[in-house]
Amino acid sequence: MAICSAHTTTSLRSPCTTISNTGLRQNQVILFTTRSSRRGSTRHGARTFQVSCTAEKPIIIGLAADSGCGKSTFMRRLTSVFGGAAEPPKGGNPDSNTLISDTTTVICLDDYHSLDRTGRKEKGVTALDPKANDFDLMYEQVKAIKEGKAIEKPIYNHVTGLLDPAELIQPPKIFVIEGLHPMYDQRVRDLLDFSIYLDISNEVKFAWKIQRDMAERGHSLESIKASIEARKPDFDAYIDPQKQYADAVIEVLPTLLIPDDNEGKVLRVKLIMKEGVKYFNPVYLFDEGSSISWIPCGRKLTCSYPGIKFSYGPDTYFGQEVSVLEMDGQFDRLDELIYVESHLSNLSTKFYGEVTQQMLKHSDFPGSNNGTGLFQTIVGLKIRDLYEQIIAERAGVPAEAAKV
Amino acid sequence: MASALTGVSLSTPATFAAATARGDRPQVAPARVTLRSMVMGRGTVACRAGGPSTPPGISDKMSESIKEAQEACSEDSASGECAAAWDEVEELSAAASHARDKLKESDPLENYCKENPETDECRTYDS
């Protein structure tokens, strides 16, 4: 009778929200859910109880990045680590920006635009500008979710540029807010259990947007460049400063392995991890706290041009102590990835090879052969670990020691 | 392979046709061209370039917004109107990319290749 087993285990997949009508214990909230009319038919007779535990208040994760900088890919990797596919709400607005899986709900903060596309145009304000966003509503709703309450969240329609009727969002186990400003407003920031910033250098941003847009009718190198440049002042003023608040930053830079490379195909990626964050133990290479430079390619492992280079060590970032793990180059073969994984420690994997398995599972996602995919996967594992520790602590059970 | 292709009509995404039809386009090829072919039943070969193309609704809106942004910036490239106009272009470009990804997910060849990336049909060729 383990309906509320999330209290006592550290498993992410514990059936705490099992649909059941037997075996209820105290300390549980029982919601009698009749299908809401917007979903269609109301079923009589087949009574559905949704059981959720009072301890089961969502943990809140923030992911900040500019548009076109890999937030969606990151989200797909993250939800995959948690298990189960993330999909748009069933039967809702087809243009909804929300993704829901068994454990996780991801919302896009564009839904809190206070000015729609026409409004921004009239006022000469970009979506990056806080004036175009309703932080009061964002705060209220993220707070409500954190307290375990459902919300009626607006939907910003990216195709029409209009605000569509709201959608009902139930509190999940893990609630992710992704977008331009998850750490901008202090009230919202204080609600976050963990935060990530994707920091894409200008060179790489340009290369990625060429890849994304060049085949589009109407776009040219000039238009792609003009768009990046016109948005840059607001980006620098309102988005970029948020990285100082992030618990983990993934910085994407051009490679140093190829002299004067400007193709943006080979990348140098840094994972900057804040020290002293509760429930977050940074990954390390060989010896925690030392400075290490490591070229895995040699006698044991042969790599093709331009090779792979790792470095690791302590550093400061906006005046705070951090650990930085860097990977330059890309994986060409499976054995390179597994070799690297076997030399990293504190990965929060549940079994040997889990990082490699996750990367292979999504080899079609951008960045699966370089540091962006590797570090996104690692951050996903770290968030799973963080969640399990918080749940275990709430249940009064000491967290399991770090695995592998 | 040449004989297998004889008499087969190839469908080309609209972006390609548009690219060759427009004279004012800079002589830069799309960043990456991938070609895939698939043997569909007896003797039928389907071949197409890249992934799916952007739905025309979004595509039209985007090229319209690029024109508007160029106009809005012709007077003052540091104005809020100019930034807002290019921001709209970015928003639509991202929406177009997401729409293409969505189409890709519902593409039978893409799904087949996810499971069987090593098969001949799923080989990709970089230009």
Side-chain angles (χ1 to χ4, degrees):
Chain A
M1 204 58 269
I3 289 168
C4 216
S5 56
H7 280 307
T8 51
T9 72
T10 56
S11 166
L12 186 60
R13 302 189 51 81
S14 61
C16 201
T17 50
T18 308
I19 308 282
S20 169
N21 55 5
T22 54
L24 302 173
R25 296 188 206 163
Q26 45 171 250
N27 206 24
Q28 294 174 341
V29 176
I30 306 154
L31 301 167
F32 179 61
T33 53
T34 51
R35 301 259 171 249
S36 64
S37 56
R38 50 190 303 184
R39 295 224 180 131
S41 62
T42 307
R43 285 185 13 215
H44 296 285
R47 299 202 296 172
T48 314
F49 285 101
Q50 188 170 356
V51 178
S52 60
C53 314
T54 44
E56 189 80 38
K57 291 207 174 127
I59 69 155
I60 317 284
I61 310 289
L63 172 68
D66 195 8
S67 162
C69 286
K71 287 189 297 276
S72 316
T73 306
F74 190 8
M75 281 304 108
R76 286 156 80 196
R77 285 192 201 281
L78 188 74
T79 48
S80 166
V81 167
F82 296 153
E87 283 170 7
K90 285 195 178 71
N93 184 333
D95 288 323
S96 163
N97 305 306
T98 305
L99 286 174
I100 298 174
S101 76
D102 292 352
T103 54
T104 315
T105 295
V106 183
I107 64 154
C108 172
L109 295 178
D110 289 351
D111 290 335
Y112 294 104
H113 281 340
S114 53
L115 296 172
D116 64 7
R117 193 177 286 157
T118 318
R120 293 196 299 273
K121 221 173 195 172
E122 278 167 4
K123 292 201 161 65
V125 169
T126 69
L128 307 160
D129 195 317
K131 288 201 281 284
N133 297 281
D134 186 345
F135 287 101
D136 291 342
L137 184 64
M138 191 193 292
Y139 166 65
E140 266 167 40
Q141 297 207 331
V142 177
K143 186 164 169 274
I145 287 282
K146 188 154 187 162
E147 288 165 357
K149 299 172 194 154
I151 54 170
E152 285 276 347
K153 181 189 61 54
I155 299 174
Y156 177 72
N157 187 319
H158 288 94
V159 179
T160 61
L162 299 168
L163 286 154
D164 286 351
E167 62 185 352
L168 182 69
I169 303 288
Q170 295 288 352
K173 292 181 178 171
I174 300 166
F175 189 63
V176 186
I177 56 171
E178 61 100 346
L180 295 165
H181 307 94
M183 287 98 90
Y184 183 84
D185 185 284
Q186 200 200 328
R187 297 168 299 169
V188 179
R189 198 160 69 225
D190 289 345
L191 294 171
L192 300 177
D193 292 288
F194 195 76
S195 55
I196 308 121
Y197 185 92
L198 301 182
D199 189 5
I200 315 302
S201 69
N202 291 332
E203 297 94 326
V204 176
K205 206 184 262 190
F206 188 49
W208 284 5
K209 289 196 175 167
I210 289 175
Q211 242 170 45
R212 187 193 68 182
D213 297 338
M214 207 49 200
E216 285 291 348
R217 186 157 44 88
H219 258 306
S220 61
L221 277 179
E222 288 70 30
S223 64
I224 294 167
K225 214 172 173 174
S227 177
I228 292 177
E229 276 169 11
R231 294 173 75 255
K232 199 166 182 306
D234 280 358
F235 175 81
D236 290 345
Y238 309 120
I239 312 304
D240 193 63
Q242 294 177 89
K243 64 188 179 194
Q244 63 188 296
Y245 306 116
D247 297 315
V249 175
I250 297 179
E251 206 173 299
V252 187
L253 305 148
T255 183
L256 291 177
L257 298 172
I258 307 167
D260 303 316
D261 178 71
N262 52 10
E263 267 194 85
K265 273 192 186 165
V266 182
L267 301 173
R268 179 164 62 103
V269 188
K270 284 181 176 188
L271 174 59
I272 301 163
M273 299 162 280
K274 212 174 255 183
E275 290 289 335
V277 176
K278 209 179 175 194
Y279 311 117
F280 175 53
N281 305 311
V283 179
Y284 67 88
L285 183 63
F286 298 122
D287 183 29
E288 195 166 11
S290 298
S291 289
I292 314 266
S293 176
W294 180 49
I295 295 172
C297 317
R299 263 190 209 133
K300 277 199 214 153
L301 187 75
T302 47
C303 310
S304 54
Y305 181 80
I308 299 172
K309 191 179 169 185
F310 272 84
S311 52
Y312 161 78
D315 206 343
T316 52
Y317 188 75
F318 290 93
Q320 296 168 86
E321 253 186 77
V322 294
S323 284
V324 180
L325 179 65
E326 178 182 307
M327 174 185 166
D328 197 351
Q330 54 192 32
F331 304 110
D332 278 325
R333 297 195 327 267
L334 171 67
D335 55 341
E336 298 171 357
L337 183 50
I338 197 95
Y339 190 77
V340 165
E341 176 172 356
S342 65
H343 286 78
L344 292 167
S345 302
N346 246 353
L347 282 169
S348 300
T349 47
K350 288 198 191 282
F351 54 88
Y352 174 69
E354 191 176 14
V355 173
T356 305
Q357 186 208 52
Q358 281 294 330
M359 299 272 283
L360 277 181
K361 196 171 164 192
H362 304 296
S363 55
D364 55 324
F365 289 6
S368 291
N369 63 343
N370 63 38
T372 60
L374 176 66
F375 293 160
Q376 287 177 0
T377 305
I378 291 176
V379 172
L381 293 166
K382 284 288 161 196
I383 292 172
R384 183 181 67 186
D385 193 14
L386 177 117
Y387 169 81
E388 291 177 353
Q389 287 183 62
I390 292 175
I391 294 303
E393 195 181 278
R394 281 181 194 165
V397 177
E400 262 178 78
K403 302 121 211 152
V404 187
Chain B
M1 194 61 205
S3 62
L5 280 170
T6 321
V8 174
S9 68
L10 302 174
S11 70
T12 317
T15 46
F16 268 63
T20 47
R22 283 174 63 98
D24 56 347
R25 197 183 166 82
Q27 291 302 303
V28 183
R32 184 156 179 250
V33 178
T34 59
L35 287 170
R36 270 185 183 164
S37 60
M38 188 180 194
V39 181
M40 302 170 81
R42 200 180 284 178
T44 327
V45 176
C47 175
R48 53 174 186 67
S53 52
T54 308
I58 304 177
S59 189
D60 291 346
K61 258 191 188 152
M62 198 183 55
S63 42
E64 178 99 340
S65 74
I66 292 172
K67 270 188 218 143
E68 283 176 22
Q70 282 159 345
E71 281 164 24
C73 297
S74 60
E75 282 179 19
D76 180 6
S77 64
S79 67
E81 285 69 28
C82 172
W86 278 118
D87 188 44
E88 182 185 311
V89 173
E90 171 56 35
E91 189 174 287
L92 287 165
S93 305
S97 166
H98 286 149
R100 284 197 303 274
D101 286 346
K102 252 189 207 168
L103 287 173
K104 217 171 166 182
E105 274 161 29
S106 58
D107 183 305
L109 176 57
E110 292 293 344
N111 286 331
Y112 172 76
C113 290
K114 226 180 253 175
E115 302 296 317
N116 308 280
E118 71 295 339
T119 53
D120 278 352
E121 297 90 313
C122 297
R123 287 170 68 173
T124 58
Y125 305 89
D126 280 357
S127 65

